[in-house]
Amino acid sequence: DFDKISGKYDLVFNMAAHISPGYSIEEALPCLLVNALGTLNVLEFMVKRRMKRLIHSSSVTVYGRPRRLISKETSPKTPIIVYGVSKLAAESYCNMYSELHNLDIIILRYASVYGLGLNQKTALPIFIEKAVKNEDIYLYGNGMRSQDYVYVDDVIQANLLAASKGINGVFNIGSGIQTTMNELAETIVDVLESKSRILFDRTKKQEFSFGIDIEKAKKILGYNPRFNLRKGLEELKKTL
């Protein structure tokens, strides 16, 4: 299909991905084909057309279970879900082509992205769905697991900034704020003016907490996230 594309282009944004839920390995092959082989096809297309700039969308899932609460770009990468494995493979292809063909490639590792169009069955959209229907929201354990949520407009900002830089590199992209499941549920209920109750299921084990350091993106790309969770949810509310 790439051969059907006509015209000349300055750069490529690779934002295509197949996202597999949780720890299931049932979708390991689609993840491999879309995320890894798909990226390889993009890189081959660029070499064929003599294009030199790629902004590649990756994921913080490449870090796996973190050894420290906050992961930097140089932290160990030991993904434990098939999506993260496929994303790390794609990064390896990017690094190889950058070295072999002198391509300028920026890799952006996103935290959990939310906004208009989100259809993943993860905590944030599930909580929103429950809140809209005024249904009970259940948290696992004590609800203190935390992670970074980044609004889609900030991801767009990061891509445009990366496109303006003639450099290579890897950058974490997030809000820089860790939000617990308690805070997430409470903020969603408050912003949506929902009557949902927040309850706890202590029979189910909560996942590990995970945060990212975004200082490199701030310093080198000039990235400055404009949306905290409440502001992002207020924007998302307008589309519901």
Side-chain angles (χ1 to χ4, degrees):
D1 285 341
F2 283 110
D3 289 333
K4 300 175 185 177
I5 300 174
S6 60
K8 293 183 179 181
Y9 303 90
D10 299 313
L11 59 89
V12 174
F13 294 93
N14 181 21
M15 309 189 84
H18 180 87
I19 301 178
S20 147
Y23 295 95
S24 169
I25 63 169
E26 293 178 359
E27 296 189 55
L29 184 58
C31 278
L32 179 67
L33 293 176
V34 175
N35 302 338
L37 181 58
T39 297
L40 181 60
N41 289 337
V42 170
L43 291 163
E44 277 294 305
F45 169 71
M46 291 180 64
V47 171
K48 194 173 183 180
R49 295 292 182 89
R50 298 182 180 179
M51 299 168 66
K52 291 293 186 181
R53 304 279 328 282
L54 172 65
I55 313 303
H56 176 71
S57 296
S58 190
S59 165
V60 297
T61 58
V62 300
Y63 296 117
R65 190 184 300 274
R67 297 179 185 177
R68 297 181 178 177
L69 187 57
I70 304 296
S71 290
K72 296 185 177 183
E73 289 83 356
T74 53
S75 295
K77 287 162 283 296
T78 53
I80 55 176
I81 59 175
V82 294
Y83 177 69
V85 170
S86 65
K87 280 295 192 179
L88 185 57
E91 287 193 16
S92 296
Y93 281 133
C94 287
N95 293 331
M96 181 181 75
Y97 270 70
S98 178
E99 184 70 25
L100 293 178
H101 299 284
N102 197 31
L103 302 183
D104 291 327
I105 299 177
I106 288 183
I107 295 171
L108 302 178
R109 292 180 183 149
Y110 306 147
S112 186
V113 185
Y114 68 100
L116 179 62
L118 178 64
N119 57 12
Q120 297 168 233
K121 291 300 181 182
T122 51
L124 189 148
I126 290 174
F127 290 178
I128 288 177
E129 183 179 347
K130 295 288 187 182
V132 168
K133 297 177 181 178
N134 294 312
E135 296 177 352
D136 293 343
I137 297 173
Y138 282 89
L139 307 182
Y140 295 165
N142 62 6
M144 293 306 293
R145 181 181 81 83
S146 62
Q147 68 179 75
D148 190 308
Y149 291 95
V150 58
Y151 188 61
V152 65
D153 282 20
D154 282 329
V155 172
I156 294 169
Q157 176 203 162
N159 274 268
L160 294 177
L161 286 169
S164 69
K165 308 289 183 180
I167 59 175
N168 295 344
V170 180
F171 301 90
N172 287 335
I173 301 299
S175 66
I177 301 169
Q178 284 185 262
T179 300
T180 67
M181 293 299 100
N182 275 321
E183 293 167 335
L184 176 64
E186 289 170 357
T187 306
I188 287 173
V189 167
D190 188 37
V191 169
L192 299 184
E193 301 177 49
S194 171
K195 296 179 182 178
S196 293
R197 296 183 301 167
I198 299 172
L199 305 175
F200 297 88
D201 184 349
R202 299 186 187 277
T203 66
K204 293 185 178 179
K205 184 180 179 181
Q206 60 187 345
E207 290 286 345
F208 53 85
S209 294
F210 182 75
I212 57 170
D213 186 304
I214 62 172
E215 289 305 311
K216 182 180 176 183
K218 285 183 174 181
K219 182 177 180 180
I220 298 178
L221 297 182
Y223 173 67
N224 182 30
R226 297 182 295 114
F227 293 84
N228 59 23
L229 180 65
R230 176 171 291 275
K231 186 177 179 182
L233 288 173
E234 286 172 348
E235 286 296 309
L236 181 55
K237 179 183 177 180
K238 299 174 184 177
T239 68
L240 297 177

